[in-house]
Amino acid sequence: MNGNVEVVVVGGGYGGVTAANSLARRDGVSVTLVNPRPEFVSRIRLHQLVTGSDDAVEGFGEVLGGNVRLVVDTATRIDSAGRRVSLAGGGLLSYDYLVYAVGSGGADPGVPGVTEFAYRVSDFEGAQRLRSALDAAPASAPVTVVGAGPTGLETAAELAEAGRRVTLVCGDLLGPSLHARVRRPVARRLAELGVTVLEGPRARVREVTRDAVQLDDGRELPSAVTIWTAGFTVPDLAARSGLRTDTDGRLLTDATLTSVDDVRIVAAGDAAVMTDQPFRMSCQAAVQLGPAAADTVLRRIAGRTPARVRMFFAGQCLSLGRNEGVTQFSYPNDKVNALRVSGRPGAGVKEIACRFTLGKLVSGARRAGSRGSRSDSTDRPETPRPEQPTAPPDTRRAA
């Protein structure tokens, strides 16, 4: 492709930022990142925001290269035929290639009362609302955490260590993604912190009210603050834009992260799924998929065949309060094994992982140019460019 190539990255999470920084290092490629917030949210620290041990944000000036233009707005529709992105603020952005990295958030479980009365930790605004609710509640007030995946475990432990009276409603199993041997130190740590753990087929939530949680077996748990951490969903931008998705709304891609509908759209992060290689929604996946998506775009620009993406997982790091944690190791295919690091060393591994992830973003930003290389890092979008470059022969696939 001749001339300057415009790439729009939709979403400024781990996948979007790493993709944008990787693309911005290439001469002849202009990168615009669209994100609803003016700051980068460190989602792996949102449970710390709830108790005040971390603010869970970084300035985009730290993690985003100066060669990337930042537009603070929300994408509302992708016009793949015209190669334009509509924004909530009324603007349009034209692109030659688009990286779809809109991330994920808390799912609506369809349980009565959750939307009205429960709080979330899956996004920054939800974590802020939860912190305000906790600040307004007496220190002795009962708190219920629903969901025993990584988010639920970390949130329950963080609150209990801060002195809160916490009940963790697991559903069938505590830590379902953990190996049975690794589950034991997690249960032991929660017991030490005073967390009441409810698990088994009858430990499921039937309804959430303003001051209680109703279980399927008829039990009623007093709950001044109820926190729902079970399940994640993705924005419906792809579906609203006429792009094919799976039943969970994730953009369908091939093994190179390219949309099955359009080779000009490449995905990174939680909001997409490779049809023959599904992967777990996680920061660990996103920081691999961002550079991989960038590589696919750059290969297409150069007229080369994109490479199949290969994912490698090391395990899961859980903080169980500030003083202890558990690291669950896995095989490269993400299947867990019995190896673990627990206790204070486990907490140290989790902290190292968090700092390492941020460090990778910062180093990527440095390689993507100094912040001063663009006159305005928060430009508003302009109207579409009148001319689009000629597409290569295989630009579109049949819808």
Side-chain angles (χ1 to χ4, degrees):
M1 181 178 290
N2 296 323
N4 192 67
V5 178
E6 298 283 348
V7 181
V8 171
V9 179
V10 182
Y14 297 103
V17 166
T18 52
N21 284 338
S22 298
L23 288 162
R25 302 205 310 260
R26 184 64 60 91
D27 290 339
V29 177
S30 295
V31 183
T32 298
L33 184 141
V34 182
N35 194 64
R37 302 190 76 262
E39 296 174 301
F40 172 80
V41 175
S42 183
R43 286 185 65 180
I44 54 179
R45 290 197 185 274
L46 283 176
H47 62 288
Q48 292 182 248
L49 169 64
V50 171
T51 58
S53 64
D54 198 281
D55 62 9
V57 294
E58 299 290 338
F60 272 118
E62 292 293 318
V63 301
L64 196 64
N67 290 339
V68 180
R69 175 189 175 207
L70 174 65
V71 173
V72 180
D73 210 326
T74 300
T76 57
R77 187 175 182 275
I78 299 167
D79 175 8
S80 57
R83 293 190 206 130
R84 292 186 297 266
V85 179
S86 299
L87 303 178
L92 291 172
L93 288 172
S94 296
Y95 66 84
D96 299 315
Y97 289 90
L98 181 139
V99 177
Y100 187 81
V102 295
S104 62
D108 180 0
V111 174
V114 170
T115 300
E116 296 88 348
F117 303 117
Y119 295 88
R120 305 277 190 174
V121 200
S122 54
D123 58 71
F124 183 78
E125 289 75 18
Q128 282 188 314
R129 287 191 291 270
L130 171 57
R131 183 173 177 181
S132 296
L134 288 165
D135 288 344
S140 60
V143 175
T144 303
V145 178
V146 181
T151 303
L153 294 173
E154 292 191 320
T155 302
E158 201 81 21
L159 290 170
E161 190 180 69
R164 292 288 179 174
R165 184 156 59 96
V166 179
T167 297
L168 177 62
V169 180
C170 303
D172 289 338
L173 190 64
L174 173 72
S177 64
L178 302 176
H179 190 279
R181 292 184 183 177
V182 180
R183 198 171 292 124
R184 294 171 193 162
V186 173
R188 185 166 55 248
R189 173 59 175 166
L190 292 175
E192 291 171 352
L193 291 170
V195 176
T196 299
V197 175
L198 303 179
E199 58 180 328
R202 301 180 70 190
R204 296 180 180 177
V205 177
R206 182 178 64 197
E207 183 179 0
V208 175
T209 64
R210 187 178 302 279
D211 54 7
V213 173
Q214 308 280 347
L215 300 185
D216 275 351
D217 62 4
R219 282 178 290 177
E220 180 176 285
L221 309 176
S223 183
V225 179
T226 301
I227 306 164
W228 196 276
T229 70
F232 285 88
T233 189
V234 300
D236 65 351
L237 177 61
R240 282 190 285 111
S241 301
L243 300 168
R244 276 183 285 180
T245 66
D246 69 359
T247 55
D248 295 321
R250 293 178 295 177
L251 179 71
L252 290 176
T253 77
D254 63 15
T256 72
L257 299 177
T258 303
S259 165
V260 297
D261 295 315
D262 189 343
V263 298
R264 298 281 185 160
I265 298 176
V266 180
D270 292 351
V273 60
M274 291 184 280
T275 54
D276 61 348
Q277 188 184 348
F279 52 86
R280 172 169 52 90
M281 290 183 181
S282 64
C283 167
Q284 189 173 176
V287 296
Q288 298 179 68
L289 294 168
D295 182 70
T296 291
V297 171
L298 294 173
R299 284 174 181 259
R300 291 200 184 280
I301 291 171
R304 298 165 56 198
T305 301
R308 292 176 61 90
V309 174
R310 299 183 64 189
M311 302 285 289
F312 296 93
F313 290 88
Q316 302 173 40
C317 298
L318 300 176
S319 63
L320 299 173
R322 294 297 84 214
N323 299 313
E324 290 198 25
V326 171
T327 295
Q328 159 76 80
F329 291 99
S330 71
Y331 300 106
N333 65 357
D334 205 25
K335 181 180 179 180
V336 298
N337 56 48
L339 295 177
R340 71 176 188 268
V341 176
S342 58
R344 189 172 291 274
V349 172
K350 172 60 186 282
E351 184 61 26
I352 290 171
C354 290
R355 294 186 182 186
F356 177 80
T357 300
L358 178 61
K360 290 286 288 184
L361 300 184
V362 172
S363 64
R366 289 172 181 165
R367 292 195 299 272
S370 63
R371 175 51 79 188
S373 62
R374 290 293 172 94
S375 60
D376 187 351
S377 63
T378 57
D379 287 342
R380 303 300 297 175
E382 299 176 356
T383 54
R385 290 174 288 108
E387 297 181 0
Q388 299 287 347
T390 302
D394 66 345
T395 297
R396 309 274 176 223
R397 295 182 181 177

